[in-house]
Amino acid sequence: MTSPTKAEDSGSAAVLDPELTAADDVAKGEKQPEGRSPGQLMWQRFKRDRTGVVSACVVIFFFVVAACAPLIAKLYGKNPYTLYAQEPEYPFLLDDFAMPTGSFGGMSGDFWFGVEPKLGRDVFTMLLYGMRTSLYMAVVVTALCVATGVIIGMVSGYFGGRVDYWLGRVTDFFLAFPSQLFFIAFMPVVTAMFVSPADETPTYLRAVAIILVMWFLGWMGLARLVRSSVLSLAEREFVEAAKVSGASPWRIVRKEILPNIVTPILVQATYILPSTILTIAFLSFIGVGFVEPTPDWGRMFAVGADVYEQDPMFMFFPGVALVTFVLAFNLLGDSVRDAFDPKTGR
Protein backbone atom coordinates (compact mmCIF):
# COMPACT_ATOMS: atom_id res chain seq x y z
CA MET A 1 0.00 0.00 0.00
CA THR A 2 1.52 3.29 -1.08
CA SER A 3 1.62 6.37 1.17
CA PRO A 4 0.20 9.71 -0.08
CA THR A 5 2.66 12.15 -1.53
CA LYS A 6 3.40 15.58 -0.05
CA ALA A 7 1.47 17.25 -2.84
CA GLU A 8 -1.60 15.19 -2.07
CA ASP A 9 -1.26 16.03 1.67
CA SER A 10 -1.02 19.75 0.96
CA GLY A 11 -4.00 19.57 -1.41
CA SER A 12 -6.10 17.80 1.19
CA ALA A 13 -5.12 20.36 3.82
CA ALA A 14 -6.12 23.20 1.50
CA VAL A 15 -9.55 21.69 1.00
CA LEU A 16 -10.13 20.75 4.61
CA ASP A 17 -8.85 23.94 6.26
CA PRO A 18 -11.48 26.70 5.89
CA GLU A 19 -9.08 29.37 7.09
CA LEU A 20 -6.68 28.60 4.26
CA THR A 21 -9.55 28.60 1.78
CA ALA A 22 -10.79 32.00 3.03
CA ALA A 23 -7.26 33.38 2.87
CA ASP A 24 -6.87 32.16 -0.71
CA ASP A 25 -10.20 33.73 -1.68
CA VAL A 26 -9.20 37.05 -0.17
CA ALA A 27 -5.88 36.85 -1.98
CA LYS A 28 -7.74 36.27 -5.23
CA GLY A 29 -10.01 39.27 -4.60
CA GLU A 30 -13.19 37.24 -4.08
CA LYS A 31 -15.79 38.77 -1.69
CA GLN A 32 -16.97 36.79 1.28
CA PRO A 33 -20.67 36.76 2.21
CA GLU A 34 -21.44 39.27 4.95
CA GLY A 35 -24.25 39.26 7.49
CA ARG A 36 -26.84 42.00 7.10
CA SER A 37 -28.51 43.94 9.85
CA PRO A 38 -32.32 44.21 10.02
CA GLY A 39 -32.05 47.78 8.76
CA GLN A 40 -30.05 46.67 5.71
CA LEU A 41 -32.54 43.89 4.97
CA MET A 42 -35.41 46.38 5.26
CA TRP A 43 -33.66 48.79 2.88
CA GLN A 44 -33.03 46.02 0.34
CA ARG A 45 -36.70 44.99 0.40
CA PHE A 46 -37.84 48.61 0.15
CA LYS A 47 -35.65 49.31 -2.89
CA ARG A 48 -37.26 46.38 -4.73
CA ASP A 49 -40.72 47.89 -4.19
CA ARG A 50 -41.23 50.25 -7.14
CA THR A 51 -44.44 51.67 -5.70
CA GLY A 52 -42.68 52.54 -2.46
CA VAL A 53 -39.71 54.15 -4.21
CA VAL A 54 -41.94 56.27 -6.47
CA SER A 55 -44.11 57.27 -3.50
CA ALA A 56 -41.03 58.25 -1.50
CA CYS A 57 -39.78 60.40 -4.39
CA VAL A 58 -43.17 62.15 -4.62
CA VAL A 59 -43.26 62.80 -0.87
CA ILE A 60 -39.69 64.13 -0.86
CA PHE A 61 -40.53 66.36 -3.83
CA PHE A 62 -43.46 67.89 -1.93
CA PHE A 63 -41.35 68.56 1.15
CA VAL A 64 -38.53 70.10 -0.90
CA VAL A 65 -40.97 72.36 -2.77
CA ALA A 66 -42.60 73.40 0.52
CA ALA A 67 -39.22 74.19 2.09
CA CYS A 68 -38.10 76.17 -0.96
CA ALA A 69 -41.41 78.01 -1.45
CA PRO A 70 -39.99 81.50 -0.71
CA LEU A 71 -37.05 80.92 -3.07
CA ILE A 72 -39.29 79.57 -5.84
CA ALA A 73 -41.67 82.52 -5.43
CA LYS A 74 -38.76 84.95 -5.60
CA LEU A 75 -37.46 83.39 -8.82
CA TYR A 76 -41.00 83.30 -10.19
CA GLY A 77 -41.47 86.97 -9.41
CA LYS A 78 -44.83 86.75 -7.61
CA ASN A 79 -46.13 86.28 -4.07
CA PRO A 80 -49.42 84.96 -2.64
CA TYR A 81 -50.46 88.22 -0.98
CA THR A 82 -50.39 90.89 -3.70
CA LEU A 83 -53.71 91.73 -5.39
CA TYR A 84 -52.40 91.76 -8.93
CA ALA A 85 -55.78 92.74 -10.37
CA GLN A 86 -55.23 96.17 -8.78
CA GLU A 87 -51.75 96.58 -10.22
CA PRO A 88 -51.51 99.00 -13.19
CA GLU A 89 -49.41 96.53 -15.20
CA TYR A 90 -52.29 94.00 -15.22
CA PRO A 91 -55.36 96.14 -16.07
CA PHE A 92 -57.48 93.36 -17.58
CA LEU A 93 -56.71 90.48 -15.20
CA LEU A 94 -60.37 90.19 -14.06
CA ASP A 95 -63.57 90.81 -16.03
CA ASP A 96 -66.64 92.80 -14.99
CA PHE A 97 -67.81 89.87 -12.83
CA ALA A 98 -64.45 89.66 -11.01
CA MET A 99 -63.65 86.38 -12.79
CA PRO A 100 -60.26 85.76 -14.45
CA THR A 101 -60.09 86.76 -18.06
CA GLY A 102 -58.73 84.32 -20.58
CA SER A 103 -58.99 80.56 -20.61
CA PHE A 104 -58.32 78.07 -17.78
CA GLY A 105 -58.69 80.54 -14.95
CA GLY A 106 -56.39 83.17 -16.43
CA MET A 107 -53.39 80.90 -17.06
CA SER A 108 -50.61 82.69 -18.93
CA GLY A 109 -46.88 83.18 -19.03
CA ASP A 110 -47.14 85.61 -16.13
CA PHE A 111 -49.53 83.49 -14.07
CA TRP A 112 -48.75 79.79 -14.59
CA PHE A 113 -51.75 78.43 -12.68
CA GLY A 114 -54.03 81.41 -13.26
CA VAL A 115 -55.31 83.97 -10.76
CA GLU A 116 -57.74 83.90 -7.87
CA PRO A 117 -61.29 85.06 -8.66
CA LYS A 118 -62.46 88.37 -7.11
CA LEU A 119 -59.03 89.32 -5.72
CA GLY A 120 -56.60 88.46 -8.52
CA ARG A 121 -53.86 86.82 -6.48
CA ASP A 122 -51.43 84.38 -8.06
CA VAL A 123 -52.61 80.76 -7.70
CA PHE A 124 -49.17 79.19 -8.17
CA THR A 125 -47.59 80.94 -5.18
CA MET A 126 -50.78 80.45 -3.13
CA LEU A 127 -50.42 76.72 -3.74
CA LEU A 128 -46.72 76.74 -2.80
CA TYR A 129 -47.27 78.58 0.46
CA GLY A 130 -50.44 76.61 1.23
CA MET A 131 -48.43 73.42 0.82
CA ARG A 132 -45.78 74.83 3.14
CA THR A 133 -48.35 75.70 5.82
CA SER A 134 -50.09 72.33 5.74
CA LEU A 135 -46.94 70.18 5.68
CA TYR A 136 -45.16 72.05 8.47
CA MET A 137 -48.23 71.94 10.68
CA ALA A 138 -48.78 68.25 9.98
CA VAL A 139 -45.16 67.36 10.80
CA VAL A 140 -45.33 69.15 14.17
CA VAL A 141 -48.68 67.59 15.10
CA THR A 142 -47.53 64.12 14.02
CA ALA A 143 -44.32 64.38 16.04
CA LEU A 144 -46.22 65.44 19.17
CA CYS A 145 -48.85 62.73 18.77
CA VAL A 146 -46.26 60.01 18.18
CA ALA A 147 -44.14 61.07 21.16
CA THR A 148 -47.16 61.25 23.49
CA GLY A 149 -48.66 58.00 22.26
CA VAL A 150 -45.37 56.11 22.58
CA ILE A 151 -44.66 57.37 26.10
CA ILE A 152 -48.15 56.69 27.46
CA GLY A 153 -48.45 53.34 25.68
CA MET A 154 -45.07 52.09 26.88
CA VAL A 155 -45.63 53.18 30.49
CA SER A 156 -49.10 51.62 30.52
CA GLY A 157 -48.01 48.35 28.94
CA TYR A 158 -44.77 47.85 30.86
CA PHE A 159 -45.87 48.70 34.41
CA GLY A 160 -49.42 47.32 34.15
CA GLY A 161 -51.60 47.13 37.24
CA ARG A 162 -53.09 50.38 38.46
CA VAL A 163 -50.87 52.44 36.16
CA ASP A 164 -52.27 50.58 33.16
CA TYR A 165 -55.83 50.88 34.50
CA TRP A 166 -55.78 54.64 35.06
CA LEU A 167 -53.91 55.46 31.85
CA GLY A 168 -56.41 53.26 30.00
CA ARG A 169 -59.30 55.22 31.51
CA VAL A 170 -57.67 58.52 30.53
CA THR A 171 -57.27 57.23 26.99
CA ASP A 172 -60.91 56.12 26.90
CA PHE A 173 -61.95 59.57 28.15
CA PHE A 174 -60.17 61.34 25.29
CA LEU A 175 -61.48 58.83 22.76
CA ALA A 176 -65.03 59.74 23.84
CA PHE A 177 -64.66 63.25 22.39
CA PRO A 178 -66.24 63.67 18.93
CA SER A 179 -63.13 65.07 17.26
CA GLN A 180 -64.69 66.98 14.36
CA LEU A 181 -67.32 68.68 16.54
CA PHE A 182 -64.71 69.38 19.21
CA PHE A 183 -62.48 71.09 16.64
CA ILE A 184 -65.33 73.30 15.46
CA ALA A 185 -66.49 74.23 18.96
CA PHE A 186 -63.14 74.57 20.72
CA MET A 187 -61.05 76.48 18.15
CA PRO A 188 -62.94 79.79 18.63
CA VAL A 189 -62.71 79.30 22.40
CA VAL A 190 -58.93 78.87 22.29
CA THR A 191 -58.42 81.99 20.20
CA ALA A 192 -60.88 84.03 22.29
CA MET A 193 -58.93 83.18 25.47
CA PHE A 194 -55.93 85.17 24.23
CA VAL A 195 -57.34 87.74 21.80
CA SER A 196 -60.03 90.34 22.27
CA PRO A 197 -63.06 89.88 19.96
CA ALA A 198 -62.37 93.36 18.56
CA ASP A 199 -58.83 92.40 17.46
CA GLU A 200 -57.70 90.19 14.63
CA THR A 201 -56.31 86.83 15.74
CA PRO A 202 -52.62 86.55 14.75
CA THR A 203 -51.72 83.74 12.39
CA TYR A 204 -49.19 82.24 14.78
CA LEU A 205 -51.86 82.01 17.49
CA ARG A 206 -54.21 80.18 15.13
CA ALA A 207 -51.38 77.79 14.24
CA VAL A 208 -50.62 77.10 17.92
CA ALA A 209 -54.33 76.57 18.65
CA ILE A 210 -54.68 74.09 15.77
CA ILE A 211 -51.58 72.19 16.92
CA LEU A 212 -52.78 72.01 20.53
CA VAL A 213 -56.29 70.87 19.65
CA MET A 214 -55.09 68.22 17.19
CA TRP A 215 -52.42 67.00 19.61
CA PHE A 216 -55.04 66.91 22.36
CA LEU A 217 -57.14 64.44 20.37
CA GLY A 218 -54.59 62.67 18.18
CA TRP A 219 -52.39 60.44 20.34
CA MET A 220 -54.86 57.84 21.67
CA GLY A 221 -54.81 55.38 18.76
CA LEU A 222 -51.02 55.08 18.78
CA ALA A 223 -50.99 54.78 22.59
CA ARG A 224 -53.28 51.76 22.43
CA LEU A 225 -51.21 50.20 19.65
CA VAL A 226 -47.97 50.65 21.60
CA ARG A 227 -49.56 49.34 24.80
CA SER A 228 -50.68 46.12 23.13
CA SER A 229 -47.23 45.64 21.56
CA VAL A 230 -45.47 46.20 24.88
CA LEU A 231 -47.80 43.78 26.67
CA SER A 232 -46.91 41.07 24.14
CA LEU A 233 -43.18 41.72 24.62
CA ALA A 234 -43.13 42.12 28.40
CA GLU A 235 -43.40 38.35 28.97
CA ARG A 236 -40.76 37.36 26.40
CA GLU A 237 -37.62 35.56 27.51
CA PHE A 238 -35.16 38.33 26.65
CA VAL A 239 -37.13 40.86 28.74
CA GLU A 240 -37.30 38.45 31.68
CA ALA A 241 -33.57 37.82 31.34
CA ALA A 242 -32.91 41.57 31.45
CA LYS A 243 -35.01 41.88 34.63
CA VAL A 244 -33.16 38.98 36.28
CA SER A 245 -29.82 40.52 35.41
CA GLY A 246 -30.80 43.63 37.36
CA ALA A 247 -31.36 46.04 34.47
CA SER A 248 -33.37 49.15 35.31
CA PRO A 249 -36.86 49.62 33.82
CA TRP A 250 -35.58 52.53 31.75
CA ARG A 251 -32.81 50.39 30.24
CA ILE A 252 -35.21 47.51 29.55
CA VAL A 253 -37.68 49.80 27.82
CA ARG A 254 -34.98 51.61 25.84
CA LYS A 255 -32.79 48.66 24.89
CA GLU A 256 -35.12 45.66 24.78
CA ILE A 257 -38.69 46.81 24.07
CA LEU A 258 -38.48 50.02 22.04
CA PRO A 259 -36.33 48.59 19.20
CA ASN A 260 -38.91 45.81 18.74
CA ILE A 261 -41.87 48.16 18.30
CA VAL A 262 -40.28 50.65 15.91
CA THR A 263 -42.08 49.10 12.95
CA PRO A 264 -45.70 49.66 14.11
CA ILE A 265 -44.79 53.13 15.38
CA LEU A 266 -43.24 54.17 12.08
CA VAL A 267 -46.06 52.72 10.02
CA GLN A 268 -48.70 54.39 12.19
CA ALA A 269 -46.88 57.72 11.86
CA THR A 270 -47.08 57.47 8.06
CA TYR A 271 -50.86 57.24 8.41
CA ILE A 272 -51.20 60.01 11.00
CA LEU A 273 -49.45 62.67 8.90
CA PRO A 274 -51.72 62.61 5.80
CA SER A 275 -54.76 62.35 8.04
CA THR A 276 -53.54 65.45 9.89
CA ILE A 277 -53.16 67.35 6.62
CA LEU A 278 -56.76 66.53 5.69
CA THR A 279 -57.98 67.66 9.11
CA ILE A 280 -56.09 70.97 8.86
CA ALA A 281 -57.60 71.54 5.42
CA PHE A 282 -61.05 70.72 6.81
CA LEU A 283 -60.69 73.26 9.63
CA SER A 284 -59.70 76.01 7.20
CA PHE A 285 -62.47 74.99 4.80
CA ILE A 286 -65.18 75.50 7.44
CA GLY A 287 -63.63 78.76 8.67
CA VAL A 288 -62.19 77.79 12.06
CA GLY A 289 -58.62 77.21 10.88
CA PHE A 290 -56.51 79.65 8.90
CA VAL A 291 -58.23 82.72 7.45
CA GLU A 292 -57.32 85.52 5.05
CA PRO A 293 -54.69 86.24 3.95
CA THR A 294 -52.79 83.11 5.10
CA PRO A 295 -52.35 80.70 2.16
CA ASP A 296 -53.72 77.27 2.97
CA TRP A 297 -55.05 74.29 1.03
CA GLY A 298 -58.34 74.24 2.92
CA ARG A 299 -58.97 77.94 2.38
CA MET A 300 -58.31 77.53 -1.35
CA PHE A 301 -60.95 74.79 -1.41
CA ALA A 302 -63.37 77.10 0.41
CA VAL A 303 -62.89 79.82 -2.21
CA GLY A 304 -63.07 77.30 -5.03
CA ALA A 305 -66.34 75.88 -3.71
CA ASP A 306 -67.96 79.30 -4.23
CA VAL A 307 -66.73 79.81 -7.79
CA TYR A 308 -66.38 76.28 -9.17
CA GLU A 309 -69.14 76.86 -11.73
CA GLN A 310 -67.50 80.00 -13.15
CA ASP A 311 -63.84 79.02 -12.57
CA PRO A 312 -63.35 75.25 -12.02
CA MET A 313 -59.59 75.52 -12.61
CA PHE A 314 -59.06 77.35 -9.33
CA MET A 315 -59.85 74.16 -7.39
CA PHE A 316 -58.08 71.85 -9.85
CA PHE A 317 -54.45 72.46 -8.87
CA PRO A 318 -54.82 72.34 -5.05
CA GLY A 319 -57.11 69.30 -5.44
CA VAL A 320 -54.57 67.41 -7.54
CA ALA A 321 -51.72 68.37 -5.20
CA LEU A 322 -53.58 67.28 -2.06
CA VAL A 323 -54.80 63.98 -3.50
CA THR A 324 -51.35 63.18 -4.92
CA PHE A 325 -49.56 63.83 -1.64
CA VAL A 326 -52.02 61.92 0.55
CA LEU A 327 -52.08 58.96 -1.85
CA ALA A 328 -48.28 58.87 -2.11
CA PHE A 329 -47.85 59.02 1.67
CA ASN A 330 -50.38 56.23 2.24
CA LEU A 331 -48.65 54.04 -0.35
CA LEU A 332 -45.32 54.85 1.28
CA GLY A 333 -46.70 53.67 4.61
CA ASP A 334 -47.78 50.36 3.05
CA SER A 335 -44.34 49.91 1.49
CA VAL A 336 -42.55 50.65 4.76
CA ARG A 337 -44.74 48.13 6.56
CA ASP A 338 -44.02 45.45 3.95
CA ALA A 339 -40.28 46.21 4.03
CA PHE A 340 -40.10 45.82 7.80
CA ASP A 341 -42.34 42.75 7.90
CA PRO A 342 -42.51 40.91 4.54
CA LYS A 343 -44.97 38.37 6.01
CA THR A 344 -47.69 41.03 5.79
CA GLY A 345 -47.41 41.20 1.98
CA ARG A 346 -50.18 43.09 0.22
Side-chain angles (χ1 to χ4, degrees), residues 190-212:
V190 173
T191 55
M193 290 172 59
F194 301 97
V195 181
S196 171
D199 299 331
E200 181 67 26
T201 304
T203 301
Y204 78 88
L205 184 58
R206 287 186 175 274
V208 171
I210 292 173
I211 291 173
L212 291 178

Side-chain angles (χ1 to χ4, degrees), residues 27 35 69 103 113 124 203 209 215 231 235 237 327:
S103 58
F113 289 179
F124 177 68
T203 301
W215 176 29
L231 285 175
E235 305 299 327
E237 292 81 359
L327 177 62

Side-chain angles (χ1 to χ4, degrees), residues 187-328:
M187 280 296 300
V189 175
V190 173
T191 55
M193 290 172 59
F194 301 97
V195 181
S196 171
D199 299 331
E200 181 67 26
T201 304
T203 301
Y204 78 88
L205 184 58
R206 287 186 175 274
V208 171
I210 292 173
I211 291 173
L212 291 178
V213 172
M214 297 190 67
W215 176 29
F216 188 70
L217 295 177
W219 55 267
M220 293 82 70
L222 183 59
R224 283 195 162 186
L225 176 65
V226 171
R227 173 186 175 274
S228 62
S229 300
V230 172
L231 285 175
S232 65
L233 291 172
E235 305 299 327
R236 299 285 293 273
E237 292 81 359
F238 62 91
V239 176
E240 293 294 338
K243 292 179 180 179
V244 171
S245 65
S248 65
W250 165 244
R251 179 177 177 80
I252 295 173
V253 168
R254 182 168 53 92
K255 293 290 187 179
E256 306 295 340
I257 296 179
L258 186 58
N260 287 282
I261 61 174
V262 169
T263 300
I265 293 173
L266 183 60
V267 172
Q268 188 68 14
T270 60
Y271 294 137
I272 293 176
L273 192 142
S275 175
T276 302
I277 289 178
L278 293 176
T279 303
I280 294 172
F282 167 75
L283 293 177
S284 298
F285 180 82
I286 62 177
V288 297
F290 292 105
V291 296
E292 292 283 1
T294 305
D296 180 72
W297 267 338
R299 200 175 57 75
M300 293 184 73
F301 286 127
V303 175
D306 294 332
V307 299
Y308 72 93
E309 293 182 349
Q310 296 84 11
D311 184 16
M313 290 301 297
F314 182 77
M315 192 181 288
F316 174 78
F317 291 109
V320 170
L322 182 60
V323 170
T324 301
F325 179 82
V326 172
L327 177 62

